[in-house]
Amino acid sequence: MVTLMLGLGLLGLCYGASWSSPGRVFAVLTGAEHSVVIRDWRLPRVLAGLVFGAALGVAGAIFQNLTRNPMGSPDVIGLDAGAYTGALVALTLLSGTSAQLALGSVLGGLVVAAAIYLLSFERGFSGMRLVVIGIAFNAMVTAINSWIVLRAELDVAIAAVGWSAGSLNGVGWADLGIPFSVIAVLLILMTTRAHAMHQASLGDAIAVTTGVGLDRLRLLMVLVGVGCTATVTAVAGPIAFIALAAPQIGRRLAGAAGVPLLPAALTGAVLLQGADLIAQMLLAPVALPVGVVSTAIGGCYLIWLLTKEVRRA
């Protein structure tokens, strides 16, 4: 996966309106040659695809471990839609600066996550109940988002609809400093609790007997998962299905019993980078939003997953 990730990154640096040879790319990266196109246009987009894909993969792994359900990902249970609601409020009621979008996305995701989490408690925590309630919230929040867009000014509505597809088009260095720092802190924090997370995925009784504080751990998992999802949404918009597919694909490639974080992160980085390259090539020279491609790929994966779960039942 690392090799594939690096290969896709190199292809992303070479591909564009004009092809750049790998030799020229390496020369620009080492400082032997200067190219605004490669260093300031293509490189931020490639890094955004890798880092944001890894963040979405980890967020999906967190919620699939929390719910013990392969359907438990942020885009399915409504966290993406909640983060998008917060961003829409920042766009329509405020000036829509980067800081306001980031804060609005995080707050929107946290509000929806808190509502789903509290409603899923009925005589104890239930992952299946959380997924079902999350799907219902996703439908309701999506309807609210549509209403906000319809009520907004025309130019704001056009920008909001285009951004809602999830896109890495136009991402530059100025957009990435704070999101990369936030994601790095969240991933390091979650790495320190990865062992406890896997203990909890074996069952509440086993987790408690091994000294895991379930309530604190679940709260941390929700905060980190929402933080990763909302940070990506604030910059690129809601990118669907990467968080759903990456953890399960990574788990199968690693042959792991649970849903480990590292394979999910690497798989998410590869999926998002690959989807973005397809989005650039499909109707070239017009670059599609990456969310269009990830939704098409993720839809096929979701059909396969649901078919498998039905057969197992």
Side-chain angles (χ1 to χ4, degrees):
M1 294 304 289
V2 171
T3 302
L4 185 57
M5 182 177 67
L6 294 176
L8 288 173
L10 177 60
L11 180 59
L13 292 175
C14 294
Y15 181 79
S18 61
W19 176 264
S20 301
S21 67
R24 183 161 187 255
V25 168
F26 284 119
V28 172
L29 294 180
T30 56
E33 188 176 338
H34 180 71
S35 172
V36 173
V37 172
I38 295 175
R39 184 179 292 274
D40 295 333
W41 294 359
R42 297 179 187 172
L43 185 56
R45 182 174 189 146
V46 168
L47 292 179
L50 297 178
V51 175
F52 290 168
L56 291 175
V58 169
I62 288 172
F63 282 101
Q64 288 178 14
N65 275 296
L66 182 66
T67 61
R68 301 171 200 163
N69 191 312
M71 290 289 293
S73 73
D75 43 356
V76 173
I77 63 175
L79 301 187
D80 276 15
Y84 181 46
T85 303
L88 280 178
V89 172
L91 280 172
T92 55
L93 299 183
L94 304 174
S95 55
T97 63
S98 298
Q100 291 172 350
L101 287 174
L103 182 60
S105 296
V106 172
L107 290 177
L110 285 175
V111 168
V112 172
I116 296 171
Y117 192 72
L118 291 174
L119 288 174
S120 66
F121 269 92
E122 183 181 342
R123 298 184 298 276
F125 177 80
S126 169
M128 178 57 72
R129 191 159 53 239
L130 187 147
V131 171
V132 173
I133 293 173
I135 291 173
F137 259 88
N138 190 21
M140 291 188 293
V141 175
T142 299
I144 292 172
N145 292 342
S146 299
W147 179 80
I148 293 174
V149 170
L150 289 172
R151 298 285 296 177
E153 297 290 336
L154 181 60
D155 54 344
V156 175
I158 292 173
V161 170
W163 185 63
S164 69
S167 176
L168 298 179
N169 297 338
V171 172
W173 291 117
D175 305 313
L176 300 180
I178 294 177
F180 279 10
S181 300
V182 171
I183 289 172
V185 171
L186 293 174
L187 295 186
I188 292 172
L189 180 62
M190 197 61 231
T191 301
T192 63
R193 301 296 292 160
H195 179 70
M197 180 187 73
H198 291 303
Q199 290 293 102
S201 67
L202 297 175
D204 292 357
I206 295 177
V208 171
T209 56
T210 54
V212 176
L214 285 176
D215 291 338
R216 292 193 301 273
L217 176 64
R218 285 169 177 160
L219 178 60
L220 175 65
M221 291 170 68
V222 169
L223 291 176
V224 172
V226 171
C228 288
T229 301
T231 302
V232 175
T233 302
V235 179
I239 301 175
F241 287 109
I242 299 296
L244 174 70
Q248 293 300 313
I249 296 174
R251 180 180 70 84
R252 285 169 171 78
L253 291 174
V259 187
L261 297 179
L262 181 58
L266 295 177
T267 305
V270 168
L271 287 179
L272 185 54
Q273 183 61 41
D276 188 48
L277 283 171
I278 294 173
Q280 294 180 63
M281 297 176 180
L282 206 57
L283 296 179
V286 177
L288 291 173
V290 66
V292 173
V293 177
S294 69
T295 300
I297 297 172
C300 297
Y301 169 80
L302 183 58
I303 292 172
W304 173 82
L305 180 62
L306 290 173
T307 303
K308 184 176 180 180
E309 291 297 315
V310 168
R311 288 176 180 172
R312 180 183 300 174

